[in-house]
Amino acid sequence: MRIGLLTEGGYPYVSGDAKLWCDRLVRGLGQHEFDIYALSRSRRQEDEGWVQLPPQVGRVRTAPLWTAEDDGAVHGRRVHGRRARRRYAECFGELAAAVCAGPGSLDSPENSGASGGAGVAGGAGEAGGPGASGGPGVTGGPGFVGAPGVLAGSGDSFGLEADRFATALYGLAELARDEGGLAGALRSEGAVRAWERACRAPGALRAARTARVPDLLSVAAHVERSLRPLSLDWYTDDGLGAVDLCHAAAGGSAALPGLLARHFASVPLLVTEYGVPLRAHYLASAATEEAPAVRALLASFHGRLATEVYRRAALITPGNTHARRWQERCGADRAKLRTVYPGMEASRFAEVGENAEGAGCADPDTLVWVGRVEPSKDLVSLLHSFAEIRKEEPKTRLRIFGAPADGPDGALYLAHCKALAAHLFPDEAEGAHAVGDNPVSFEEIGGPEAPGLAEAYASGALVVLSSVVEGFPISLVEAMFCGRATVSTDVGAVVEVIGGTGLVVPPRNPRALAEACVALLRDPERRARLGAAARARALELFTIEQNVEAFHGIYLEIVSHSPIRRVVVDATGEPLPFGVPAEAHVPGRWTEARVVAAGRPRWAAGAPVRATVPLTAGEGA
């Protein structure tokens, strides 16, 4: 079959999200054809180029989401013509009204949650998924207004506003197709006025009613960037209309071309989310200095878009139960959900994992932490926990492997952690004439002692994760491949991943973390049993092979419910139901010769086929 793979800020570019798993998926399904439709996030990403593509990639089409309004790189132009302007005003006004609409009446308690910034309460912590408490983080109660009527409010109001948003979105898409694009109109003065009217309308979100002109300009610019796929020319019969299935590597803007292909050409849509974009938006908005009105409106917009993506997708494949809960709270039908764990390359850790019998192959007194150094990893709590561990086990050492996150905040946080380690653990020496040494070391992968990830995990007997926010814990899976016992905080998909093969403690609890580490440091046999069980679990659930096989089955399942058919007619020229046998839908490269004529349904590909007249008795002699 022919797959349209939709990405944003990742594959086939050298840098970006979802690059590895998309490449592994395409290479692992050599029996299918892939057309790549990629949205880039920056000029730097485009300048870095693409990864080497396998032969099953038929073509690649790209479009930028980062260009300025007037630089000529955005497909489309301003809407012109009285009728087109009227259509645009009606559709965009309806879309803005659906975004600004509150989940209930004007004074409903659900509307009061925006004062915290789109329902995000303060910090970056999150323990366990939507609605989880356990520290400053994303709350899931009535104040969580990111997707009005989805996470709060009545089901009837949710359905009405979701339909209203969808009708307006597809109306804008049809107008963009007819007029050659809408990029200029979506951030024009008329768009800002539409946002203002929607914010002042009865029943609007309470935070939206406080929006000022600078806030509305910011919202209009953000929404225009998110809706730029509306103005692309990808939805013709020789574009996405010619594929058998659209597979979006993420929700949000990445899935928007799939929505339009479904609308214009009835192409089924599969959405994969290993990290939920809506969740990421909520967490990112908490750290911004934007006005509460901007945060509330953008959260509402992304919530509405996520809801529409989930409603229209044929199937949705979350990467873990943690992501699945978010999708269900945002309106995803549970019957459409198929959990597919990310596939990772186990062979790079094979040597370490196979030699991990017992604790003799590693320093039994060393703890290892691997990851990206940033506040959400809570290395401060880890260092305080290590101070408690040293009181019980003075010979213990802690090796921290990782580079700081991009931007100045990552470097500042790393410097803060180093200063805290120097304060908590002054350089120690065994004797009066020996050189002092700090029991905590900060290292990067690629050094002489740890040239690769496998060597980093092999350098200790116990791997620790101290995060307060985590999606799918990749470092834990790598440690499991290496046969290492783990001690982790209960965030994100941690419990689902380790499945009883490691110890789990509450986040931001240094004492509990220290007690769990001490318990395993003092029991090498238990460490060995947990490590062996962890490696067996990782090899069963988290390999590339299981990931590719799962998607292969899902592709066949979707296409079996949405087969590409040729019209079969009888002797009089009338359509003949069930005229194509099931054998016509066997998987393979049977889509190459399909040509869809403009203006015809995509199932009406090719010329009509005359049905064979059954032979009567005696005619076959």
Side-chain angles (χ1 to χ4, degrees):
M1 68 183 72
R2 189 173 179 185
I3 311 298
L5 186 59
L6 314 176
T7 67
E8 178 194 355
Y11 192 73
Y13 294 104
V14 171
S15 62
D17 303 334
K19 176 188 67 176
L20 285 178
W21 82 261
C22 285
D23 187 60
R24 291 165 178 168
L25 176 68
V26 173
R27 294 180 183 277
L29 294 176
Q31 68 272 44
H32 300 310
E33 300 173 27
F34 285 86
D35 291 346
I36 312 298
Y37 291 81
L39 301 170
S40 64
R41 289 180 181 168
S42 66
R43 182 181 295 277
R44 177 182 177 183
Q45 185 178 53
E46 291 193 351
D47 292 342
E48 289 175 346
W50 301 346
V51 299
Q52 185 176 359
L53 299 175
Q56 54 263 40
V57 174
R59 63 176 171 178
V60 179
R61 299 189 67 176
T62 64
L65 287 181
W66 49 271
T67 50
E69 175 188 6
D70 299 321
D71 65 358
V74 178
H75 294 283
R77 59 182 183 275
R78 294 182 182 274
V79 175
H80 53 79
R82 182 177 300 177
R83 181 175 298 178
R85 288 197 299 269
R86 186 183 302 115
R87 286 176 61 193
Y88 168 76
E90 292 174 355
C91 293
F92 192 81
E94 282 294 292
L95 183 137
V99 170
C100 294
S105 63
L106 184 64
D107 298 319
S108 66
E110 287 87 352
N111 274 336
S112 64
S115 60
V120 179
E126 185 213 359
S133 55
V138 179
T139 62
F144 198 9
V145 301
V150 180
L151 301 179
S154 66
D156 291 341
S157 63
F158 155 59
L160 290 174
E161 294 304 329
D163 290 340
R164 189 181 188 185
F165 178 87
T167 300
L169 180 68
Y170 298 128
L172 290 173
E174 292 169 0
L175 182 60
R177 179 189 59 181
D178 297 341
E179 297 297 323
L182 292 177
L186 291 174
R187 60 193 305 175
S188 64
E189 181 180 350
V192 177
R193 289 179 177 175
W195 284 114
E196 184 177 21
R197 287 193 297 270
C199 290
R200 306 293 184 262
L205 293 167
R206 179 168 297 179
R209 288 176 245 160
T210 66
R212 299 176 297 174
V213 172
D215 302 332
L216 299 176
L217 290 171
S218 178
V219 170
H222 182 95
V223 171
E224 183 273 322
R225 285 193 297 271
S226 298
L227 295 183
R228 282 185 185 177
L230 296 179
S231 300
L232 298 176
D233 59 351
W234 290 355
Y235 315 109
T236 57
D237 294 333
D238 60 347
L240 283 174
V243 303
D244 301 308
L245 166 69
C246 283
H247 184 178
S253 296
L256 186 52
L259 281 181
L260 302 185
R262 182 189 181 278
H263 177 73
F264 289 126
S266 301
V267 179
L269 172 63
L270 169 65
V271 178
T272 296
E273 288 186 329
Y274 286 128
V276 182
L278 186 59
R279 170 183 177 270
H281 173 79
Y282 290 150
L283 294 176
S285 68
T288 65
E289 298 180 355
E290 293 176 330
V294 176
R295 296 199 295 268
L297 287 172
L298 294 183
S300 178
F301 168 77
H302 286 288
R304 294 289 186 208
L305 182 57
T307 299
E308 180 61 15
V309 169
Y310 296 152
R311 290 176 71 196
R312 304 304 178 189
L315 288 178
I316 306 163
T317 54
N320 51 72
T321 302
H322 175 63
R324 183 179 182 130
R325 289 198 298 266
W326 275 83
Q327 293 166 341
E328 290 181 0
R329 292 290 296 272
C330 293
D333 183 358
R334 185 171 297 181
K336 294 182 178 181
L337 298 175
R338 308 281 192 278
T339 300
V340 179
Y341 294 119
M344 300 177 60
E345 187 177 356
S347 58
R348 62 192 301 196
F349 306 105
E351 183 177 356
V352 174
E354 292 169 358
N355 295 328
E357 301 295 336
C361 63
D363 186 346
D365 298 320
T366 297
L367 307 179
V368 173
W369 182 95
V370 178
R372 184 173 56 182
V373 179
E374 56 186 350
S376 64
K377 303 303 182 182
D378 199 15
L379 291 181
V380 171
S381 290
L382 176 60
L383 291 171
H384 284 289
S385 175
F386 186 62
E388 298 293 325
I389 294 172
R390 292 275 293 181
K391 294 177 182 178
E392 301 293 332
E393 299 291 332
K395 295 182 179 180
T396 308
R397 301 182 63 82
L398 173 62
R399 299 185 67 176
I400 296 176
F401 294 94
D406 296 336
D409 292 342
L412 288 175
Y413 186 72
L414 176 59
H416 172 70
C417 292
K418 289 182 176 180
L420 178 61
H423 173 73
L424 291 175
F425 312 102
D427 288 349
E428 303 173 355
E430 295 182 359
H433 302 287
V435 178
D437 183 25
N438 195 298
V440 179
S441 63
F442 292 83
E443 309 170 49
E444 291 193 19
I445 304 295
E449 296 185 3
L453 276 172
E455 289 77 12
Y457 290 110
S459 64
L462 187 62
V463 176
V464 185
L465 183 141
S466 55
S467 301
V468 294
V469 176
E470 195 74 52
F472 186 86
I474 293 177
S475 62
L476 277 188
V477 178
E478 293 171 341
M480 293 166 70
F481 278 129
C482 291
R484 291 298 184 265
T486 59
V487 175
S488 315
T489 49
D490 186 6
V491 293
V494 166
V495 173
E496 180 182 4
V497 166
I498 64 174
T501 65
L503 303 187
V504 180
V505 300
R508 290 198 177 98
N509 192 331
R511 184 179 298 276
L513 188 65
E515 291 175 354
C517 290
V518 169
L520 291 184
L521 286 171
R522 291 176 174 175
D523 194 343
E525 293 184 359
R526 187 184 183 191
R527 283 204 315 268
R529 289 196 305 269
L530 290 175
R535 176 167 168 78
R537 179 177 176 82
L539 291 174
E540 178 184 0
L541 298 179
F542 307 122
T543 61
I544 297 174
E545 292 75 16
Q546 68 82 23
N547 180 270
V548 170
E549 185 63 27
F551 278 116
H552 177 63
I554 288 172
Y555 286 173
L556 295 180
E557 178 182 356
I558 293 176
V559 171
S560 69
H561 290 89
S562 306
I564 307 302
R565 299 184 297 274
R566 302 181 67 192
V567 177
V568 179
V569 297
D570 59 18
T572 63
E574 294 297 321
L576 184 65
F578 312 110
V580 179
E583 291 85 352
H585 306 306
V586 295
R589 299 178 179 269
W590 44 271
T591 62
E592 292 182 358
R594 180 163 59 86
V595 179
V596 182
R600 300 178 63 188
R602 65 189 302 271
W603 48 263
V609 179
R610 297 285 177 178
T612 302
V613 179
L615 297 177
T616 60
E619 289 182 344

